[in-house]
């Protein structure tokens, strides 16, 4: 019996790593999955109403990327949903009736997305332009609904609510309360903006590279300007919304907030520490401390009292390593957000004052990096959220260690290794495919024409036997 | 103990499983025939048809799976917990098959080198066996009420492979006909008939295994609520074979799907009101009513919104409206 318990404990580490790895991989696909349809439709709209064939070509190419990436998202997402059962069966058994609600809505949304993406993609030739555009209009709301569902489930883990528990079992669920928990308010908007920002920067960064390589025609300008303008407009908004999130977790999820700010003891005039790390005795090393700024940010007054880590029992707050991860991740997110805001200001300044696109090489070099930067910011944000919740899987209610599977540790390590290998293969195939597509499109732009979707495994068919 | 809401949710869950078994089965079946297509130049044409037949609908199939799993953990958390706590190795194998398959299906489109291409075909084909076998093995372990990998799981797994191969071949006949490839029509017609014989043989043996391992289940399959569905399967499978044998290419795809769907229904209805025979009934495992209501609402929206959309997709697809122009 004892050895069983030891084994169960050992599965905790690989299970956490596996969950983190698969979620972090899946979330890379989400920004383009949710927001690329909107960008594509915008481009298609420009093409239809301004009678611009170049815009239509761009839209059509983006829709191919959308489809390939949806397929990868579908596979990695399916893995995730099984993982909840394989890795955390007791979490699902206890709270599935509440935690699962968001996913039921997500399931509905993805269903719509999967079907309409197929029709949209295959319909380029066969549907009339306006009918095709109308089919496409179903995609953004479907993506939105899906993101809502997942975020609702995640928010429930952070600020659980809407359940009545009797002797350990959920006996009643208030559906609306369980779907709309406190954390959803800030997580949803912050994440939604992150998705559109990221999609904008990522897509634009491809054409920033094209600019650096010397391509400066209408095609390149249009494909760069539309997504970059959207991202640039959203970035400042994101900083404000992120600030609201931070203030909200200070009261809703105080242990997470203490980790974010590496605050050891509860105090007023709390400094804001940039960089740096904390050790087991609460000493902060390195880093720049700005006196009283944290208190000021939270309560608009240096006298605001901020709770420290020591005000939570040692087994109910993130451990030192986790605290440092959270703090670093938060700083990376905020740092990248600020850098993005500066780049956006540069862009908007030139766009609005001079009514043209920037012409500086440095601008395009930075723009080329903005895509990767946004992905890193999104990952950092999630690390802040998830690691900051430790040691709870359901905040204050169920510990990660009580939810984990009884499977032997070796089993989980093995499946983790298998998944890492297979995901690496998928990433390799995915990138190779995109590069091949890009090469083919470049060739076509210099002459030969074919349907953009030809040769895409998830796209429309080529005629067999040719 | 009768709980109409929970029963309705359980029925929706069964529908999702059935949809995945039939729609997914057609798809996995194509993968199985890909594996059996062999290596040489003669394997090229069937492979191309298979590739072609799979492209448009395959990611839609995963959604059924996800929907089933979400319904299960939200609607019946206790079932979900016990099933996964016990059967995680089987689910893991099924999943590994699922992602390998998706990945290598993509890879074989970009592999230029013939050896890499062959390796991709092989992994794709083998994983098309892995997933249907192990998912069905999980259902077998549930049906026995023991949640263990034993004869019942093997029996369910083998039936699933045979059914999958059968429906895959039957649909490939349809695809070959659509393009007017007479040689491939003949090729897959023979294979469909062959798979039908295998399915009937294995199905009969499986009934025997169920009788030995779970006599109560067999009883309600042969003398209870499961009977109409068992009969439907027993009639429809030979009927499809007969139609194909006589080259009467009408209704055979609908009948294939109905026959296989009935098989899943036969199991599902026969073990009601139990979710886990002898251990957990539908009402014991059910989440609170409010949750069930939300699930049913989602299901209703699905039927109202998605039903027509799915129909449109299949309609466009079957009419060939989704083909690119001859570039
Ligand atoms: C483009 C990406 C991006 C950028 C520039 C920012 N964030 Fe962020 N942040 C996210 C992307 C993100 C995210 C990935 O979307 C997260 C993860 C979970 C969530 O709801 O959003 C997140 C979470 C997250 C959380 C945790 C919320 C929780 O656990 O409930 C806080 C406190 C902040 N952010 C605060 C900020 C601040 C103060 C920012 C800048 C001033 C900022 N974020 C910029
Ligand atoms: C999509 C972006 C996400 C990323 C990158 C992410 C990242 C992580 C990380 C790093 C961990 C490990 C934390 C640790 O053990 O220290 C984790 C755990 C976990 N996350 Fe997330 N997460 C994401 C979203 C979600 C969502 C939306 C849910 C559920 C709705 C979720 C559910 C879980 C669960 C159940 C665990 C395991 C238990 C735990 O360690 O708390 N995650 N995630
Ligand atoms: C922030 C968190 C997440 C968001 C916003 C999100 C969003 C998405 C999106 C947009 C897709 C469609 C594929 C694409 O377009 O790339 C997708 C696929 C999927 N996601 Fe996630 N996801 C998140 C996390 C999760 C988690 C934690 C799960 C686990 C249950 C999950 C399950 C799925 C499933 C099952 C699919 C496939 C659905 C299909 O086949 O259409 N997702 N996700």
């Amino acid at each position: 019996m004892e050895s069983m318990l030891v084994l169960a404990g050992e599965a905790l580490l690989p299970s956490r790593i596996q969950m983190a790895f698969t979620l972090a991989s899946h979330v890379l696909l989400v920004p383009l999955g949710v927001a690329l349809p909107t960008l594509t439709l915008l481009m298609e709209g420009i093409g239809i109403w301004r009678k611009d064939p170049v815009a239509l070509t761009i839209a059509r190419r983006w829709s191919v990327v959308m489809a390939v990436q949806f397929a990868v998202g579908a596979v990695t997402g399916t893995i995730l949903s099984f993982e909840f059962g394989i890795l955390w069966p007791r979490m699902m058994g206890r709270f599935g009736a509440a935690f699962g609600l968001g996913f039921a809505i997500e399931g509905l949304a993805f269903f719509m997305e999967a079907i309409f993406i197929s029709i949209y993609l295959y319909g380029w030739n066969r549907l009339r332009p306006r009918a095709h555009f109308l089919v496409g209009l179903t995609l953004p709301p479907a993506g939105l609904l899906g993101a809502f569902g997942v975020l609702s489930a995640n928010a429930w883990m952070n600020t659980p609510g809407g359940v009545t528990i009797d002797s350990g079992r959920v006996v009643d669920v208030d559906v609306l309360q369980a779907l709309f928990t406190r954390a959803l308010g800030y997580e949803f908007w912050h994440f939604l903006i992150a998705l559109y920002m990221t999609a904008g920067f990522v897509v634009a960064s491809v054409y920033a590279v094209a600019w650096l390589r010397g391509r400066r025609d209408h095609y390149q300008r249009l494909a760069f300007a539309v997504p970059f303008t959207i991202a640039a407009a959203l970035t400042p908004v994101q900083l404000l919304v992120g600030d609201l999130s931070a203030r909200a977790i200070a009261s809703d999820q105080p242990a997470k907030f203490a980790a974010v700010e590496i605050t050891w003891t509860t105090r007023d005039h709390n400094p804001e520490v940039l960089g740096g790390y904390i050790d087991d005795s609460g000493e902060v090393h390195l880093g720049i401390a700005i006196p009283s700024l944290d208190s000021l940010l939270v309560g608009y007054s240096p006298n605001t009292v901020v709770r420290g880590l020591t005000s939570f029992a040692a087994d109910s707050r993130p451990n030192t390593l986790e605290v440092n991860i959270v703090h670093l991740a938060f700083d990376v997110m905020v740092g990248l957000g600020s850098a993005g805001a500066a780049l956006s200001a540069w862009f908007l300044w030139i766009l609005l004052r001079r009514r043209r696109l920037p012409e500086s090489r440095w601008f395009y070099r930075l723009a080329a990096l903005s895509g990767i930067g946004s992905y890193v910011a999104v990952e950092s944000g999630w690390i802040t959220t998830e690691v900051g919740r430790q040691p709870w899987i359901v905040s204050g209610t169920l510990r990660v260690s009580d939810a984990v599977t009884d499977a032997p540790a070796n089993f989980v390590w093995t499946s983790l290794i298998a998944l890492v290998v297979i995901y690496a293969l998928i990433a390799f195939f995915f990138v190779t495919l995109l590069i091949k597509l890009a090469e083919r499109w470049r060739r076509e732009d210099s002459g030969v024409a074919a349907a953009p979707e030809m040769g895409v495994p998830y796209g429309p068919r080529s005629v067999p036997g040719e | 103990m009768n709980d109409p809401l929970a029963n309705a949710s359980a029925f929706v869950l069964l529908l999702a499983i059935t949809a995945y078994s039939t729609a997914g089965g057609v798809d996995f079946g194509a993968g199985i025939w890909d594996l059996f297509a062999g290596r040489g130049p003669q394997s090229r044409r069937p492979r191309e048809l298979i590739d072609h037949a799979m492209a448009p609908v395959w990611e839609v199939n995963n959604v059924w799976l996800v929907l089933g799993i979400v319904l299960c953990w939200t609607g019946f958390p206790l079932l979900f917990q016990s099933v996964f706590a016990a059967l995680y190795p089987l689910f893991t194998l099924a999943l590994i098959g699922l992602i390998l398959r998706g990945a290598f299906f993509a890879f074989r489109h970009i592999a230029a080198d013939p050896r890499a291409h062959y390796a991709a075909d092989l992994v794709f084909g083998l994983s098309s066996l892995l997933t249907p076998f192990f998912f069905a093995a999980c259902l077998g372990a549930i049906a026995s009420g023991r949640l263990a990998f034993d004869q019942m799981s093997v029996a369910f797994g083998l039936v699933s492979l045979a059914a999958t191969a059968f429906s895959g071949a039957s649909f490939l006949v349809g695809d070959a006909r659509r393009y007017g490839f007479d040689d491939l029509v003949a090729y897959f017609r023979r294979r469909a008939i062959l798979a039908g014989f295998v399915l009937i043989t294995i199905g009969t043996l499986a009934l025997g295994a169920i009788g030995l391992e779970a006599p109560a289940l067999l009883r309600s399959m042969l003398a209870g609520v499961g009977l109409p569905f068992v009969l439907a399967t027993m009639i429809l499978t030979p009927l499809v074979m007969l139609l194909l044998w006589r080259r009467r290419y009408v209704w055979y795809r609908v009948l294939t799907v109905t026959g296989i769907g009935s098989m899943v229904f036969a199991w599902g209805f026969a073990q009601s009101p139990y979710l886990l025979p002898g251990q957990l009934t539908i009402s014991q495992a059910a989440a609170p009513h409010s949750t069930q209501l939300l699930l049913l609402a989602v299901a209703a929206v699905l039927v109202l919104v998605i039903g027509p959309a799915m129909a449109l997709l299949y309609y466009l697809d079957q009419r060939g409206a989704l083909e690119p122009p001859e570039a």
Side-chain angles (χ1 to χ4, degrees), chain A residues 48-68:
Chain A
I48 295 177
W49 278 282
R50 288 237 204 118
K51 306 212 173 3
D52 182 346
V54 172
L56 282 180
T57 307
I58 296 172
R60 193 155 168 190
R61 289 177 179 177
W62 286 355
S63 76
V64 178
V65 175
M66 198 159 95
V68 176

Side-chain angles (χ1 to χ4, degrees), chain A residues 23 26 30 33 69-70 74 77 80 84 103 106 110 150 191 382, chain B residues 66:
Chain A
L23 277 162
H26 179 71
V30 172
Q69 105 111 44
F70 187 81
L80 280 176
F84 281 127
F103 286 108
E106 185 214 27
F110 289 156
V150 177
F191 188 59
W382 279 106
Chain B
V66 172

Side-chain angles (χ1 to χ4, degrees), chain A residues 150-339:
Chain A
V150 177
L151 269 276
S152 159
N154 188 258
W156 189 88
M157 292 164 53
N158 286 328
T159 50
V163 289
T164 314
I165 298 173
D166 184 23
S167 54
R169 215 189 142 178
V170 173
V171 288
D172 197 17
V173 177
D174 182 330
V175 169
L176 285 182
Q177 263 187 43
L179 279 174
F180 294 88
T181 56
R182 299 171 63 90
L184 184 67
Y186 42 99
E187 281 195 51
F188 179 70
W189 295 111
H190 191 49
F191 188 59
L192 192 65
I193 298 172
L195 294 181
Y196 275 86
M197 253 177 81
T198 306
F201 279 132
V202 168
V203 173
S205 65
V206 173
Y207 300 96
V209 173
W211 189 94
L212 288 170
R213 287 187 178 166
R215 181 161 190 182
R216 318 256 157 108
D217 51 11
H218 175 54
Y219 176 96
Q220 183 274 336
R221 278 162 191 279
L222 193 60
F224 176 80
V226 171
F228 201 89
T229 308
I230 292 175
L234 285 175
T235 306
V237 182
Q238 180 72 328
L239 297 196
L240 290 177
V241 175
D243 183 55
L244 288 179
S245 292
R247 235 186 294 271
I249 67 167
S251 58
D252 283 356
Q253 309 178 54
K256 187 184 279 181
F257 189 72
V260 160
E261 304 289 0
I262 41 177
T263 306
W264 187 248
T265 50
T266 303
R267 56 174 288 188
D268 53 15
H269 290 82
N270 199 35
E272 175 88 26
V273 185
L274 304 181
Y277 66 97
I278 198 168
D279 66 19
D280 287 324
S281 60
E283 197 87 40
V284 174
H285 301 273
L286 304 172
I288 307 159
I290 303 169
S292 301
L293 182 62
D294 187 35
S295 290
L296 262 172
L297 285 175
V298 172
Y300 306 109
S301 146
N303 298 322
T304 310
V305 176
V306 180
R307 274 183 85 175
L309 287 163
T310 48
S311 69
F312 304 89
D315 66 350
S316 301
R317 63 171 196 240
N319 66 29
T320 309
L321 174 65
E322 286 158 355
V323 167
N324 285 316
I325 293 176
V326 172
H327 177 64
L328 178 68
F330 182 77
D331 280 2
V332 168
M333 166 170 59
V334 175
L336 287 169
S338 311

Side-chain angles (χ1 to χ4, degrees), chain A residues 126 451 453-456 459-466, chain B residues 44-45 47-53 55 109 175 178-181 184 320 322-327:
Chain A
R126 300 302 157 112
E453 306 89 355
M454 298 290 281
V456 177
R461 311 147 152 199
S462 52
V463 177
E466 276 190 359
Chain B
R44 245 197 55 224
R45 281 179 53 75
R47 275 227 167 88
E48 270 168 8
L49 182 72
I50 288 167
D51 246 19
H52 199 63
H109 286 256
D175 287 308
R178 186 139 51 91
Y179 298 111
F181 296 154
L184 289 179
L322 303 179
E323 304 291 328
E326 291 67 37

